[in-house]
Amino acid sequence: MKRGQHFVGVALAAAAVIGATSLFGNDYYFRIIFMMCVYYMCAAGMNVLVGFAGQKSLGQAGLFAAGAYSVALLTSRTDISPWLALVAAAAISGVCGVLIALPSLRVKGPYLAMVTLAFGIVVEKLVGEWTDVFGGAQGIYGIRPITWNGQPLTTQQWVWFGVVLCAVTHLLLRNLLNGRFGRALLSLQADEIASASVGVRVYRAKVIAFVVAAVTCGIAGALVAQQNQYINSDFITFHLSIFILLLVLFGGSGSMYGPLVGTIVLTSIDAALARWPSAQHFLYGFLLLFALYVMPNGVTGVLNSLFKRRAKVVPAKAATQSKPTRIGPDASGDLLEVEGVTKAYGGVKPAQDVSFRLKRGHIHALIGPNGAGKSTMINMLTGVVKPSSGSIKFLGEEISDTPAHQICRMGMGRTFQNLRLFSELSVLDNVMLGRHTRMTNGFLPSLMAMPGATKQEVITRDRALQLLELVDLAHLAHQPAGSLPYGLQRRAELARALATEPQLLLLDEPAAGLNPQETAELGQLLLRIGKCGVSILMVEHHMDLVMSVSDHVIVLDYGIKIAEGKPVDVQCNPRVVEAYLGVDEEAEPVEALVAA
């Protein structure tokens, strides 16, 4: 659905809810709907963190407390406007999100959940026992509510405000997640190494996800405090963190509508079982296990799978220009200089004092027997692995200690020996992710869907389709990347690497797993890419491919460079023959190397 149509749909839905609440005056139902709005705010931000970035958090109750107690202290002890206090509470919660993210993101998986859980428990104990500031169980009274025309909002008006706030939150997060930042966050939970290789700043993206979750949860806490005009430690429990996580997992993490479905269903159940707290806790535990094991994609995931079975695949529209004329710049000279590079893992040295230079406009090959250190060298060049010593200069700049995303931004793209596609994303989204560093729209323009951000999306999409045409995959643009045959996945990964607009493209065994026909087609494709202004360094075992397309060959054996030069010269080199065949040079014709 287009952005304008979606905006109209959300506005009509919000108006319908507001209109429906005007028909009844029962405060009990108003309270339930208001709490749905509160929980949706928590769940929508949590969905960004869990569903998109893949970071499990059990500390949302602490962020809820940050917003609630911030607005409570500001309005009860100062003369600040309640509206400004609400904004300040959101900002304070965002800062707390950063403070949680910085130490938490040094760990992964269950350890991350434990760190966030510890934060939630610390906050729970803090507000419960530091009575001089937070009031403990007695709480803080006299919290000034939001006013309109000088009068505090009625219960019905609080519902209206909550509905409008939820609609705005949904629209803003949709703007953010359906573009550059959404793709970046989805790439994190798929493969962080591949994400960094296409220019995503992994740590920064995770922090952004934490901040978004913190801000929305803090606003929710502030709304509860101001609507009740009272807050105490009973609101801040571990049960709240579990409930917020359950809203996302049950509704469907990673879906824009999952938090809404989870909120409506579970808040209704919560209200129905309010008289039986023990039954509530049992049901939450059961639903959490049910969502994790039986329905891992939640309610919306089940519904989406049903609709997808009936949906027809829509072919991608051709880009305005069928073939990209240029990818790399038209220049000459040395592109990469490697001097005395060594990598040691204890006593094992996959690279020992290796030196070579790569020239612009050439296709270079890095070959050698298994265990020669070829992939280690590629990983050092792209910043995945740091060399123990030596110098690596790209475009005249030292990059031996430069992070992978920055090297990508400088103009070095890569593929991997073992496929690292984002298999759940479409082929088109994979390639669009490759242009992450080439897009100039920042966080706020993306959040607000400013014209510049929209234009960047259009340019990126057109360029991605051009590159898919280059590798003959345009007709499969909307297919999940993981559903393609292996050979086509190799091409999709190559298109993603080309989308980074590289001056130097590093290919780690691009022909691995391909049949002879596919290997021959790959060779022709590499020649076409070379004509687009991209210099290539490929690690490859298919000697027929190496000898047919390479201008320059470098040979490693046990981490030592034993030869380099033109393909004809290298295949006649006695040391190369011995390294591959394990015999003296006089005993075996050198032509056997070609068939190796």
Side-chain angles (χ1 to χ4, degrees):
M1 187 183 296
K2 294 182 179 180
R3 182 175 287 112
Q5 294 174 332
H6 186 79
F7 175 83
V8 172
V10 171
L12 290 176
V17 173
I18 291 173
T21 58
S22 302
L23 301 179
F24 56 88
N26 190 316
D27 280 355
Y28 175 73
Y29 294 117
F30 285 151
R31 177 67 181 176
I32 292 176
I33 298 174
F34 175 73
M35 290 310 298
M36 284 184 180
C37 295
V38 168
Y39 288 138
Y40 174 78
M41 292 292 296
C42 295
M46 187 68 165
N47 187 41
V48 176
L49 183 62
V50 175
F52 283 80
Q55 307 301 304
K56 302 297 186 290
S57 173
L58 293 174
Q60 296 307 103
L63 297 171
F64 187 93
Y69 279 93
S70 293
V71 80
L73 293 172
L74 286 171
T75 58
S76 64
R77 301 186 182 183
T78 71
D79 294 328
I80 189 174
S81 164
W83 288 98
L84 291 178
L86 179 61
V87 175
I92 292 171
S93 299
V95 173
C96 291
V98 174
L99 295 178
I100 300 172
L102 293 180
S104 299
L105 294 180
R106 297 183 182 275
V107 295
K108 297 181 181 180
Y111 300 104
L112 172 61
M114 294 299 291
V115 171
T116 57
L117 173 60
F119 167 78
I121 292 175
V122 167
V123 172
E124 181 181 350
K125 295 297 182 182
L126 187 67
V127 300
E129 298 182 10
W130 196 358
T131 56
D132 291 342
V133 177
F134 301 107
Q138 182 177 354
I140 299 176
Y141 291 87
I143 301 172
R144 285 183 288 123
I146 292 173
T147 59
W148 186 256
N149 291 329
Q151 297 297 321
L153 298 185
T154 64
T155 308
Q156 186 180 55
Q157 288 173 332
W158 271 108
V159 171
W160 294 350
F161 178 61
V163 170
V164 171
L165 196 58
C166 288
V168 172
T169 299
H170 171 79
L171 291 171
L172 291 177
L173 291 182
R174 185 176 185 271
N175 292 339
L176 183 71
L177 299 174
N178 281 0
R180 180 189 182 210
F181 285 91
R183 289 191 297 271
L185 292 176
L186 286 171
S187 72
L188 296 183
Q189 63 173 309
D191 192 324
E192 291 185 12
I193 294 177
S195 183
S197 77
V198 295
V200 175
R201 299 177 64 178
V202 172
Y203 194 82
R204 179 187 178 191
K206 289 181 180 180
V207 171
I208 288 175
F210 262 95
V211 170
V212 170
V215 169
T216 56
C217 206
I219 292 174
L223 291 177
V224 169
Q226 289 188 304
Q227 198 268 345
N228 289 328
Q229 300 180 42
Y230 164 74
I231 191 74
N232 75 346
S233 58
D234 292 341
F235 287 85
I236 316 303
T237 63
F238 176 62
H239 162 76
L240 177 61
S241 293
I242 293 295
F243 186 69
I244 293 171
L245 180 61
L246 180 59
L247 293 175
V248 177
L249 296 180
F250 183 80
S253 62
S255 166
M256 289 302 302
Y257 298 101
L260 178 62
V261 173
T263 296
I264 293 174
V265 173
L266 294 180
T267 305
S268 300
I269 294 174
D270 184 70
L273 299 178
R275 296 181 180 180
W276 302 281
S278 58
Q280 280 181 324
H281 297 163
F282 172 79
L283 184 63
Y284 296 155
F286 171 78
L287 290 177
L288 184 59
L289 292 175
F290 181 81
L292 288 174
Y293 291 101
V294 180
M295 203 166 50
N297 295 322
V299 176
T300 55
V302 173
L303 296 176
N304 286 338
S305 63
L306 294 176
F307 284 113
K308 282 182 179 179
R309 292 175 185 175
R310 301 177 182 179
K312 296 181 179 179
V313 177
V314 180
K317 294 182 179 179
T320 55
Q321 181 182 348
S322 61
K323 302 290 181 182
T325 56
R326 234 28 225 175
I327 297 176
D330 187 7
S332 60
D334 290 337
L335 186 61
L336 181 76
E337 302 174 39
V338 177
E339 296 291 340
V341 167
T342 297
K343 180 61 182 178
Y345 296 101
V348 179
K349 294 184 177 181
Q352 302 181 48
D353 195 28
V354 178
S355 300
F356 58 84
R357 296 191 177 195
L358 304 184
K359 293 185 177 297
R360 292 182 182 272
H362 287 191
I363 298 179
H364 306 79
L366 183 62
I367 67 173
N370 289 330
K374 304 181 297 297
S375 293
T376 299
M377 179 58 64
I378 292 289
N379 288 333
M380 286 192 289
L381 296 181
T382 54
V384 176
V385 173
K386 293 183 179 180
S388 302
S389 62
S391 170
I392 303 174
K393 290 185 178 180
F394 179 58
L395 301 175
E397 295 186 28
E398 181 64 41
I399 62 169
S400 57
D401 198 35
T402 303
H405 70 266
Q406 186 61 35
I407 293 175
C408 175
R409 181 185 293 271
M410 293 173 66
M412 190 185 299
R414 70 164 297 176
T415 63
F416 294 86
Q417 180 178 356
N418 298 316
L419 278 170
R420 287 184 178 269
L421 280 175
F422 308 120
S423 57
E424 297 297 323
L425 301 183
S426 69
V427 175
L428 181 60
D429 282 336
N430 268 268
V431 181
M432 291 178 72
L433 257 166
R435 280 189 55 83
H436 183 81
T437 60
R438 306 305 168 195
M439 299 178 72
T440 57
N441 52 302
F443 178 82
L444 287 179
S446 299
L447 184 68
M448 303 300 295
M450 293 181 178
T454 303
K455 183 179 179 181
Q456 287 289 317
E457 281 293 311
V458 173
I459 293 173
T460 295
R461 181 184 177 85
D462 287 345
R463 186 60 165 170
L465 288 173
Q466 289 175 359
L467 293 169
L468 286 174
E469 284 192 17
L470 178 66
V471 299
D472 298 324
L473 288 180
H475 62 293
L476 298 172
H478 297 301
Q479 294 293 317
S483 70
L484 300 185
Y486 183 81
L488 297 185
Q489 289 189 44
R490 281 284 180 189
R491 290 187 175 229
E493 189 182 38
L494 180 57
R496 187 184 68 187
L498 290 174
T500 64
E501 305 289 340
Q503 297 188 45
L504 175 62
L505 178 62
L506 307 182
L507 307 176
D508 197 351
E509 299 195 26
L514 303 186
N515 60 42
Q517 180 181 350
E518 291 173 330
T519 301
E521 292 173 354
L522 175 63
Q524 295 302 312
L525 178 58
L526 295 181
L527 291 174
R528 293 205 306 271
I529 292 172
K531 293 178 181 178
C532 293
V534 180
S535 303
I536 298 174
L537 172 64
M538 65 173 176
V539 170
E540 191 50 70
H541 286 293
H542 287 71
M543 290 300 111
D544 50 351
L545 175 62
V546 170
M547 299 303 168
S548 63
V549 304
S550 300
D551 301 304
H552 183 262
V553 179
I554 304 163
V555 188
L556 297 181
D557 186 28
Y558 293 107
I560 301 172
K561 187 183 76 173
I562 61 174
E564 71 171 312
K566 294 182 179 180
V568 175
D569 298 333
V570 167
Q571 78 179 58
C572 296
N573 188 297
R575 293 189 66 188
V576 176
V577 175
E578 183 177 357
Y580 269 89
L581 301 179
V583 297
D584 293 336
E585 58 271 23
E586 296 87 1
E588 190 75 12
V590 296
E591 288 80 1
L593 175 60
V594 178

